[in-house]
Amino acid sequence: MSDYADDPGPRDACGVFGVWAPDEDVAKLTYYGLYALQHRGQEAAGIAVADGRTVLVFKELGLVAQVFDEVTLASLSGHAAVGHTRYSTTGSSTWENAQPSYRSSRGGNAIALGHNGNLTNTVKLAADLVDTGEGRIRATTDSDLITAMLAAHPGPTLEDAAMAVLPQLAGAFSLVFCDTSTLYAARDTHGVHPLVLGRLGGNGPDSGWVVASETAALDIVGAGFVREVEPGELIVIDAGGPRSRRYAPATPHGCLFEYVYLARPDTTIAGRSVHATRVEVGRTLAREAPADADLVIGVPQSGVPAAVGFAEASRIPYGEGLVKNSYVGRTFIQPSQTIRQRGIRLKLNPLRDVIDGRRLVVVDDSIVRGNTQRALVRMLREAGAVEVHVRISSPPVRWPCFYGIDFATRAELIASSASIEEIRESLGADSLAYVSLDGLVAASRQPAETLCRACFDGVYPVPLPHTDHLGKYLLEDVVDEITVGMNGADPSPDVDSVVRPR
């Protein structure tokens, strides 16, 4: 589903990237890794670099290319780095909440952390921190809370702290973090969101190591895929290479929506190509919900592979009926009301000579509120479409996500209260159909019991707290100042270690 001013689509929490490579320019590698993960977060970007003595963090609101330039990257020198692109699912979109987050530990070591996901026991963790001593934490994110817990732990090493802190965290987290010497990666026991390990420079003793949210980021920086970080696993990377620690048993529930929308098509998750999954979903849609039409078109980008599969299975020709403006991304300039009313054209415009006089099957990845599809159907009819049959390559999204996707609230999800026929009528389409949940699961080629499908069926694999303890701004509402014992030290970021552009 495309992201427009009046109907933001589902947004993933973040993308994380880390590299340990003493013989490489780790800042530039991280920059390109974040570029590959830009789709996972477009509110802020940041890089932390460790050089054996210090950790320096540079972060700012905006896209990766807006935040970093050659001069900035040249100033970030070291042997290890952590990078992050952010969509906010806990805490406002502010500079303070941008990542990597930074803390000084009790022993005086520096810690920088990037987090993809969302914790479900944030309020309890925050209350526990309040009871531990003195100090202040001013950022209002679950990610900063994790960093503070690691920094507050009395263990002699960050590895000891991680082994104690990680079992306390509930919800979804794919973490990449570092101290002055060592890179770490960890994944929640359910493995909700992906995290992979790659190798730079072959199998020699000078190999570097990369961890990233998606395999596509490994490809971009020239790293070979080694394996996924396992659910419930902590990986420690230093001069001896990676070491694995198991902090809790695995109970896999990977996010099914990663295959639908979140991940890049050139990524592989649990051994299954995202692109191949989307094409197969399109074939399934054609079998489950055929249409009598002249042309199949996809809504760029994530609707296109499913449209190709639908055309293949239905033997209806596939065509490019919508042109996407690739240069329209996140903008800080709000459109006028006139443009907002026709905001879909900021990113998509119809090819009239392709559409005029045709009966269309239009394949999109999901419907959240329905505003985007409503505008799309109207636009296609204005371009001359005789019929518009909408096909959706995911089941109806009826439940919000609490594990790191910034969906609308349940009241705002059109499928939570309206029937398919009512939604069709609201969109103005001639027909509407969604792929079945069984069909989507089959296309992913993952066992159903190892997938999180909560946004489709309301079954949440990680227990949820009371609704008062859920929500994007809960830390801002509940915790004004969180205090943490640091042997008298103030754990707020050192201005010499966290740089804000001027």
Side-chain angles (χ1 to χ4, degrees):
M1 204 201 87
S2 304
D3 178 10
Y4 302 106
D6 291 332
D7 190 10
R11 294 175 169 181
D12 192 56
C14 306
V16 293
F17 186 90
V19 57
W20 194 96
D23 297 326
E24 299 280 354
D25 186 339
V26 295
K28 277 198 174 179
L29 283 174
T30 304
Y31 172 81
Y32 287 116
L34 294 183
Y35 228 111
L37 299 171
Q38 184 72 88
H39 62 290
R40 298 186 74 91
Q42 299 180 27
E43 291 183 1
I47 295 175
V49 173
D51 64 3
R53 301 181 308 277
T54 62
V55 174
L56 181 65
V57 179
F58 188 97
K59 63 182 184 178
E60 184 55 286
L61 300 179
L63 301 173
V64 174
Q66 295 171 324
V67 172
F68 297 100
D69 56 25
E70 289 279 359
V71 174
T72 302
L73 293 172
S75 71
L76 298 173
S77 177
H79 68 277
V82 170
H84 190 268
T85 61
R86 183 175 191 245
Y87 265 142
S88 53
T89 56
T90 299
S92 299
S93 182
T94 63
W95 180 84
E96 290 77 10
N97 288 340
Q99 296 181 44
S101 58
Y102 176 91
R103 295 286 166 220
S104 295
S105 71
R106 286 186 176 221
N109 204 348
I111 302 170
L113 176 143
H115 171 211
N116 170 211
N118 201 54
L119 300 186
T120 57
N121 64 336
T122 307
V123 171
K124 180 183 184 303
L125 296 174
D128 290 344
L129 277 178
V130 168
D131 295 335
T132 62
E134 297 179 354
R136 292 182 179 181
I137 297 174
R138 296 182 177 87
T140 53
T141 68
D142 52 353
S143 311
D144 187 67
L145 205 52
I146 298 169
T147 313
M149 292 173 69
L150 292 170
H153 191 269
T157 69
L158 183 53
E159 181 177 344
D160 294 324
M163 289 299 292
V165 168
L166 293 173
Q168 302 177 48
L169 310 180
F173 56 89
S174 291
L175 304 176
V176 178
F177 54 105
C178 72
D179 57 20
T180 56
S181 62
T182 308
L183 181 69
Y184 302 83
R187 200 170 172 206
D188 65 83
T189 58
H190 297 271
V192 175
H193 295 296
L195 190 64
V196 294
L197 174 68
R199 190 167 194 163
L200 282 166
N203 298 321
D206 298 327
S207 294
W209 300 92
V210 176
V211 286
S213 290
E214 298 187 26
T215 61
L218 302 182
D219 298 337
I220 297 303
V221 300
F225 172 78
V226 175
R227 64 177 179 87
E228 295 196 346
V229 178
E230 295 295 325
E233 182 184 24
L234 169 69
I235 292 181
V236 183
I237 304 174
D238 56 21
R243 292 184 289 110
S244 175
R245 301 281 307 270
R246 171 68 61 180
Y247 71 84
T251 54
H253 290 98
C255 173
L256 183 56
F257 207 75
E258 289 277 358
Y259 291 98
V260 173
Y261 176 84
L262 300 179
R264 284 174 51 140
D266 52 343
T267 279
T268 298
I269 301 175
R272 176 62 165 160
S273 160
V274 170
H275 179 268
T277 299
R278 291 174 182 170
V279 173
E280 183 59 33
V281 170
R283 297 189 190 107
T284 303
L285 254 178
R287 292 190 295 268
E288 293 182 346
D292 187 11
D294 305 311
L295 190 70
V296 179
I297 65 173
V299 180
Q301 296 288 337
S302 51
V304 171
V308 170
F310 191 103
E312 177 186 308
S314 67
R315 300 192 178 183
I316 300 172
Y318 169 81
E320 183 181 355
L322 295 166
V323 175
K324 181 177 180 178
N325 184 341
S326 301
Y327 300 96
V328 178
R330 177 172 169 80
T331 175
F332 295 99
I333 302 174
Q334 295 301 312
S336 67
Q337 180 62 24
T338 300
I339 297 298
R340 284 174 67 86
Q341 289 173 348
R342 307 186 65 84
I344 195 169
R345 294 182 187 269
L346 289 173
K347 286 192 173 181
L348 292 177
N349 206 36
L351 284 167
R352 293 178 180 271
D353 58 338
V354 173
I355 290 167
D356 189 24
R358 301 289 188 90
R359 299 170 299 165
L360 303 179
V361 172
V362 182
V363 182
D364 205 350
D365 56 77
S366 60
I367 299 178
V368 177
R369 295 173 179 85
N371 295 337
T372 294
Q373 287 79 12
R374 195 174 298 115
L376 179 61
V377 170
R378 181 174 64 247
M379 182 177 69
L380 292 172
R381 293 199 187 281
E382 290 173 355
V386 176
E387 295 177 7
V388 180
H389 302 275
V390 176
R391 295 295 180 267
I392 305 299
S393 61
S394 65
V397 177
R398 294 192 170 101
W399 303 83
C401 176
F402 299 102
Y403 306 141
I405 307 175
D406 191 13
F407 271 138
T409 64
R410 189 162 192 226
E412 295 174 295
L413 294 170
I414 189 171
S416 70
S417 59
S419 68
I420 293 178
E421 176 56 26
E422 288 170 333
I423 298 171
R424 181 206 64 77
E425 186 175 352
S426 171
L427 302 184
D430 292 282
S431 71
L432 169 66
Y434 298 78
V435 75
S436 67
L437 182 54
D438 287 345
L440 176 58
V441 170
S444 75
R445 297 190 181 173
Q446 308 303 315
E449 64 272 15
T450 67
L451 292 168
C452 176
R453 302 163 292 168
C455 57
F456 304 127
D457 63 10
V459 178
Y460 293 93
V462 185
L464 300 176
H466 188 275
T467 53
D468 290 346
H469 290 179
L470 294 169
K472 183 172 181 177
Y473 306 107
L474 60 91
L475 280 177
E476 295 168 6
D477 297 336
V478 176
V479 182
D480 182 31
E481 290 182 348
I482 305 168
T483 58
V484 183
M486 294 279 184
N487 290 336
D490 184 353
S492 57
D494 184 338
V495 294
D496 294 327
S497 297
V498 182
V499 181
R500 181 169 189 169
R502 286 178 168 81

